[in-house]
Amino acid sequence: PPQTPVRTVMNTIQQLIMILNTASDQPSETLITYFNNCTVNPKENILKRVQDIGCIFKEKFAQAVGQGCAEIGSQRFRLGVRLYYRVMESMLKSEEERLAIQNFSKLLNDNTFHKSLLACALEVVMATYSRTTSQHLDPGTDLSFPWILNVLNLKAFDFYKVIESFIKVETNLTREMIKHLERCEHRIMESLAWVSDSPLFDLIKQSKAREAAANLHESTCT
Amino acid sequence: EVLEYQFGLEEEGIRDLFDCD
């Protein structure tokens, strides 16, 4: 059948539901094994973080769309958490294959990594459903990107870091959703990463310092 | 027609991006 805008949206939702229908709201046995392999087990912090962010997300969602729609916020969050655990597992498998290690203690205890990954999963869910609701809401009820960054108090540059890996390991994302994440990437590169408190500036400073040290070393050798 | 998503050329993984040596 011809691919109408409505058909495209329905396909994207169906695809998301198909991916997440059988997924769990809790970490899988495989993820638990990764957690147990860590020098410091991150499990309790991960569960608590998900719970805390869930409370904030549901509150902000209800504030934006009205208390009558609070249950929809809970459903969106539940889907986001399923996708978060699913992608985390795929990322760890991919990294295990690449690096031949099973201990990801530092990564799995990194708060920014988890917030970024959960934000990306939630953004996929929110973007999937956003086209089925009104597109002409006032700014106070606009839940499209970068709304999720404000909810999770996350820097755009940190969110940017997970996008490519997310697309790489979640092979069931629709073309529409990949395009959406790519648009988020572009917005971050073009403007959101360049705000005054962005971590990008620290990285540029570090990079310059390394370059200066290397130049000094080179001239000393000469 | 939008171009396909361009993955980075370097073999970089999520661990590298969060500075975990």
Side-chain angles (χ1 to χ4, degrees), chain A residues 181-208:
Chain A
L181 290 175
E182 197 173 19
R183 280 194 290 271
C184 295
E185 260 191 352
H186 292 169
R187 276 193 71 184
I188 295 170
M189 275 194 281
E190 287 164 6
S191 62
L192 299 175
W194 299 98
V195 293
S196 57
D197 62 343
S198 172
L200 177 59
F201 294 109
D202 284 334
L203 279 180
I204 292 172
K205 275 184 207 157
Q206 284 168 25
S207 172
K208 278 187 172 175

Side-chain angles (χ1 to χ4, degrees), chain A residues 95 98 161 164 175 185, chain B residues 1 4-5 8 15-16:
Chain A
E95 287 295 77
R98 186 176 72 93
K161 292 195 277 187
E164 180 172 330
R175 190 179 164 79
E185 260 191 352
Chain B
E1 178 68 9
E4 293 296 324
Y5 183 83
R15 200 191 69 138
D16 305 321

Side-chain angles (χ1 to χ4, degrees), chain A residues 79-216:
Chain A
L79 285 176
V81 169
R82 287 182 178 193
L83 188 57
Y84 161 70
Y85 285 133
R86 179 184 153 94
V87 173
M88 193 195 306
E89 185 176 323
S90 300
M91 279 180 173
L92 292 171
K93 283 178 180 167
S94 167
E95 287 295 77
E96 182 181 351
E97 209 169 288
R98 186 176 72 93
L99 301 162
I101 58 168
Q102 283 103 34
N103 184 344
F104 294 100
S105 193
K106 201 167 174 188
L107 180 68
L108 290 173
N109 282 288
D110 188 321
N111 182 44
T112 309
F113 162 67
H114 288 289
K115 274 171 61 171
S116 304
L117 182 55
L118 183 52
C120 198
L122 287 166
E123 179 57 31
V124 167
V125 174
M126 297 297 282
T128 299
Y129 284 96
S130 72
R131 287 161 190 85
T132 59
T133 54
S134 173
Q135 294 291 294
H136 308 290
L137 300 166
D138 69 68
T141 57
D142 184 3
L143 308 184
S144 62
F145 187 81
W147 179 81
I148 196 69
L149 300 183
N150 298 326
V151 173
L152 272 73
N153 192 22
L154 182 67
K155 303 272 190 265
F157 184 69
D158 289 320
F159 181 83
Y160 176 88
K161 292 195 277 187
V162 299
I163 296 176
E164 180 172 330
S165 296
F166 197 104
I167 293 173
K168 197 181 260 182
V169 302
E170 184 45 83
T171 51
N172 285 311
L173 287 178
T174 61
R175 190 179 164 79
E176 282 303 306
M177 206 38 60
I178 293 172
K179 277 197 285 187
H180 172 75
L181 290 175
E182 197 173 19
R183 280 194 290 271
C184 295
E185 260 191 352
H186 292 169
R187 276 193 71 184
I188 295 170
M189 275 194 281
E190 287 164 6
S191 62
L192 299 175
W194 299 98
V195 293
S196 57
D197 62 343
S198 172
L200 177 59
F201 294 109
D202 284 334
L203 279 180
I204 292 172
K205 275 184 207 157
Q206 284 168 25
S207 172
K208 278 187 172 175
R210 269 199 302 272
E211 200 182 325
N215 286 341
L216 181 69

